[in-house]
Amino acid sequence: MIKSTSALYVNSVRNVVVALMLASATASAQDAVSDFRTNCMSCHTIGGGRLTGHDLKNVTQRRDKAWLTQFMVDPKAMIDGGDPYAVELVRVARGVVMPTLPGMTKARAEALLALIEESTDDYE
């Protein structure tokens, strides 16, 4: 009887952990959608063409995720540091510099990139 009670406890804990992970992933995805709408959509589309900023469709095929994350967290630092691709983005945007968003973290940037990749798939 002790083994079955122990097994039930382990299964219950496992189920709770899985449920929490799924809830967290769903909340993160919802946060990314809200984040994109609030902070990105006025300048960028995902498959809808260029606005002030580039169309983000397939952006992870143009630059790797590490570069994109770093740029999203602190675009000005990369531009000021002379990163050739970042400088080119400013030139193509006719001098408009992507703002550094308050509270942008690596985790938020990664969630936004995941949303962009998922949305890109919707257009293909």
Side-chain angles (χ1 to χ4, degrees), residues 3-13:
K3 285 185 180 181
S4 65
T5 302
S6 179
L8 286 173
Y9 176 76
V10 169
N11 283 337
S12 294
V13 169

Side-chain angles (χ1 to χ4, degrees), residues 25-80:
T26 301
S28 180
Q30 289 171 344
D31 290 346
V33 169
S34 176
D35 217 359
F36 187 85
R37 285 183 181 148
T38 302
N39 297 303
C40 309
M41 217 162 117
S42 61
C43 296
H44 297 281
T45 69
I46 305 170
R50 185 178 185 358
L51 298 176
T52 302
H54 288 282
D55 184 337
L56 299 176
K57 180 180 176 186
N58 295 317
V59 71
T60 56
Q61 293 173 14
R62 296 191 296 268
R63 296 302 299 177
D64 66 52
K65 289 180 186 177
W67 188 95
L68 291 165
T69 299
Q70 185 179 357
F71 185 76
M72 292 167 72
V73 169
D74 196 352
K76 187 171 179 344
M78 291 185 74
I79 295 162
D80 291 349

Side-chain angles (χ1 to χ4, degrees), residues 81-99:
D83 180 275
Y85 194 78
V87 170
E88 178 65 9
L89 290 175
V90 174
R91 187 193 67 72
V92 171
R94 298 169 302 281
V96 176
V97 176
M98 185 171 121

